Amino acid sequence: RGRAWSEGLCTPWGKRRSETMKPFMDEEFLLDTDAARRLYHTYAEPMPIADYHCHIDAREIFEDRRFENLTQAWLGGDHYKWRLMRAGGAPEELVTGNGSDWEKFQKWAGVLELAAGSPLYHWSHLELRRYFGYGGVLNERTAEEVWELTREKLKEPSMGARGLIRQSGVKVLCTTDDPADPLEWHRRLAEDPGFPVQVLPAWRPDRAMSLERTDYPAYLERLEAASGRKIHDFSSLLDALRVRMDFFASMGCVTADHGLPYVPYAEASRKEVETIFSWRLAGRMPEKRELAAFRTAFLAVMGREYHKRGWVMQLHFGVKRDNSSRLYAGLGPDAGADCILSPLRSGPLADYLNALDRTGELPKTILYSLNPADNAVIGALIGCFQGDGILGKVQQGSAWWFNDHKDGMEAQLKSLASLGLLGSFVGMLTDSRSLLSYPRHEYFRRILCGILGCWVENGEYPRDMETLGGLVQDICCHNAKRYFNL
């Protein structure tokens, strides 16, 4: 079964057994074979980043936002870290409250000591190495040293938002934007010759579909103002959205993104959908069945519009949001109180894709589930809707949110390789609000090369480094650029 396996270096699952203790997160971090090291350093490491989904604020980029310290750069708005700090016993004052920046950082450093095996442990140290040149370990004992070193480093001209993006090797990034957003900061960035990175808007119409929200009427007023269309029925809602889609397209938009608990499929006539919408305009909240019917009709129209425009449709599902009413009341959404829903009900999702596919209007589509139990389900489903001469027309998205750790990335990659076509994969996305999050791409690339390297060492793939190197570069960057027409 190959030299590496016979000598006890790699297991049948593609992991290498270490014979000696390795240094902590050195340059060969996660690269356990000669093949993995060559693939990473020769092919993956030099590749630029095409970040096709993130939550960075375009205004922060245009204004070249700067940070005084790591608390501002790391802990402000990062619900990953907030969850960990609460679990580590931090009072809310030191998480999202009025504690000083130093006190919050000191507490984070102490909690990080407890986070063995967490991707946050790896990401934090990768970020310290790549942006600040700090090769040590962050903990309570070193917190003051790291605090002072990083505060001085953040004063350098290259450590603003623009400099961080450029030194990360980012060539293009897609933000996440509501249809009513004026995209003013995108326009200013596009007109700025001093910043060569493309910053493109991405269409996120969740608010327009959310009849169940108490502020839905107020949102429609915003959408009316942005589109110049009066919204008095479902048809006029769609007209207003098409006006905004045309505007987004003029600003370079190439992708749409939906965040859903699950993808519904409940067929209803256009008259029924119009009635449900009219009831909501009159103040009546929809029942569960009515909401599913409305969302099905809404998503069907959106999918056809994306196909017509050549946009990629991204569907994120499998999440139950804002589970703590206490946190929601105090902090609002995205406070770190979301969780994984039970495994995917694939029937409605398959029916939705089929409804678009049977009329030739299925756009290029990426499916992300927050539940790792859905890997095989999605891997089997995407094979049903390939075609049109498009490499990987329907994709399984990268390991997302609660899955973007080492085990989660490995599981997603191996499932995709087993059930789909690994070489067509569009690779990693940042999916972050933090300007320091780009080492997540390095983390992903090391894991990818580690898996491929062990397959080579185990005799499961030939030692054809030119072919494998091309596959690695495609997954790291080229496939995404082609798929999204970037």
Side-chain angles (χ1 to χ4, degrees):
R1 301 202 181 195
R3 177 184 59 81
W5 193 352
S6 65
E7 293 179 3
L9 302 179
C10 286
T11 72
W13 301 276
K15 295 182 180 179
R16 181 182 174 98
R17 297 191 185 97
S18 179
E19 296 174 311
T20 58
M21 187 174 72
K22 299 174 65 176
F24 171 63
M25 289 185 65
D26 65 359
E27 286 306 304
E28 310 308 335
F29 176 55
L30 301 178
L31 306 174
D32 294 331
T33 64
D34 291 338
R37 289 188 282 274
R38 183 173 171 190
L39 286 171
Y40 177 73
H41 292 301
T42 304
Y43 297 99
E45 189 174 19
M47 294 300 292
I49 290 173
D51 189 11
Y52 55 85
H53 176 66
C54 75
H55 296 278
I56 295 173
D57 187 341
R59 180 173 183 172
E60 290 188 358
I61 301 173
F62 178 77
E63 295 181 342
D64 197 23
R65 182 185 177 186
R66 303 193 65 86
F67 303 97
E68 295 178 5
N69 55 60
L70 263 187
T71 296
Q72 295 178 10
W74 262 3
L75 300 178
D78 191 338
H79 54 83
Y80 280 75
K81 294 186 178 74
W82 294 351
R83 288 170 64 99
L84 214 64
M85 291 181 75
R86 291 176 188 133
E92 197 64 30
E93 178 184 6
L94 298 184
V95 182
T96 61
N98 295 323
S100 71
D101 286 352
W102 160 246
E103 290 173 318
K104 290 179 179 179
F105 180 77
Q106 187 179 37
K107 187 62 180 178
W108 167 246
V111 170
L112 195 62
E113 284 188 63
L114 309 178
S118 168
L120 285 167
Y121 196 88
H122 293 150
W123 296 345
S124 296
H125 286 93
L126 280 175
E127 291 166 25
L128 287 173
R129 283 159 168 71
R130 300 300 173 249
Y131 296 117
F132 301 99
Y134 181 73
V137 176
L138 175 59
N139 53 41
E140 279 190 312
R141 298 178 300 282
T142 62
E144 187 172 359
E145 172 192 3
V146 173
W147 176 259
E148 294 300 333
L149 182 152
T150 54
R151 279 212 308 171
E152 287 302 310
K153 183 72 174 177
L154 285 167
K155 295 177 182 177
E156 297 180 5
S158 63
M159 295 299 284
R162 296 186 179 203
L164 291 169
I165 290 171
R166 293 181 71 166
Q167 65 180 289
S168 300
V170 181
K171 299 303 180 184
V172 58
L173 66 87
C174 298
T175 58
T176 308
D177 307 280
D178 185 88
D181 193 304
L183 304 184
E184 174 66 16
W185 304 105
H186 292 83
R187 181 188 64 78
R188 295 192 189 190
L189 282 165
E191 294 172 351
D192 185 353
F195 188 59
V197 179
Q198 278 188 293
V199 180
L200 305 178
W203 176 262
R204 180 79 176 238
D206 294 356
R207 293 286 304 279
M209 191 175 68
S210 300
L211 299 187
E212 75 281 6
R213 289 182 59 140
T214 56
D215 62 352
Y216 190 71
Y219 175 73
L220 290 184
E221 292 179 6
R222 284 186 57 211
L223 186 57
E224 286 178 335
S227 65
R229 296 289 193 276
K230 183 66 178 175
I231 299 172
H232 53 83
D233 56 16
F234 183 54
S235 295
S236 56
L237 169 66
L238 298 178
D239 287 341
L241 290 170
R242 290 187 182 101
V243 169
R244 297 304 295 165
M245 292 175 83
D246 290 341
F247 174 64
F248 269 59
S250 74
M251 297 296 292
C253 180
V254 296
T255 184
D257 177 60
H258 294 259
L260 304 156
Y262 59 90
V263 178
Y265 195 76
E267 288 186 331
S269 69
R270 183 59 172 261
K271 182 178 179 180
E272 289 173 305
V273 175
E274 289 283 7
T275 299
I276 293 166
F277 191 72
S278 68
W279 285 342
R280 182 64 187 92
L281 292 181
R284 182 193 137 180
M285 287 292 191
E287 297 176 358
K288 186 175 181 180
R289 180 196 61 80
E290 295 166 344
L291 186 59
F294 177 81
R295 286 179 169 175
T296 299
F298 185 97
L299 287 169
V301 174
M302 290 295 102
R304 294 185 179 103
E305 291 292 334
Y306 305 152
H307 178 268
K308 183 169 67 176
R309 288 170 166 78
W311 289 3
V312 174
M313 177 169 68
Q314 301 184 65
L315 300 176
H316 290 79
F317 49 85
V319 56
K320 186 175 185 301
R321 297 183 181 274
D322 304 318
N323 295 285
S324 170
S325 56
R326 171 182 54 83
L327 285 176
Y328 185 81
L331 300 171
D334 302 318
D338 306 321
C339 72
I340 296 171
L341 269 181
S342 56
L344 171 67
R345 296 181 298 157
S346 59
L349 175 56
D351 291 342
Y352 169 64
L353 297 176
N354 183 56
L356 296 173
D357 186 64
R358 69 184 172 218
T359 59
E361 296 173 288
L362 177 65
K364 290 183 282 189
T365 300
I366 306 178
L367 306 176
Y368 309 81
S369 176
L370 198 58
N371 195 317
D374 294 339
N375 280 339
V377 176
I378 294 175
L381 180 59
I382 62 175
C384 302
F385 298 103
Q386 305 295 352
D388 296 335
I390 299 171
L391 180 67
K393 177 180 177 179
V394 182
Q395 295 256 339
Q396 180 184 8
S398 62
W400 170 49
W401 198 345
F402 293 124
N403 302 312
D404 57 5
H405 45 75
K406 181 173 179 285
D407 289 344
M409 290 183 189
E410 287 183 345
Q412 186 268 348
L413 286 165
K414 292 175 183 179
S415 180
L416 177 59
S418 298
L419 297 170
L421 185 64
L422 182 61
S424 70
F425 182 36
V426 293
M428 185 61 174
L429 70 169
T430 308
D431 190 30
S432 173
R433 293 169 177 80
S434 172
L435 290 157
L436 295 178
S437 288
Y438 284 104
R440 295 183 190 183
H441 286 260
E442 175 183 343
Y443 194 60
F444 166 83
R445 292 174 181 186
R446 287 176 178 272
I447 290 167
L448 170 67
C449 292
I451 291 172
L452 293 173
C454 265
W455 288 347
V456 169
E457 297 289 344
N458 287 337
E460 298 174 55
Y461 195 92
R463 195 179 181 84
D464 179 353
M465 302 308 269
E466 183 177 352
T467 298
L468 269 181
L471 183 145
V472 165
Q473 291 185 327
D474 283 346
I475 294 172
C476 290
C477 184
H478 295 321
N479 284 345
K481 292 181 68 175
R482 287 189 289 258
Y483 191 76
F484 288 89
N485 297 317
L486 296 174

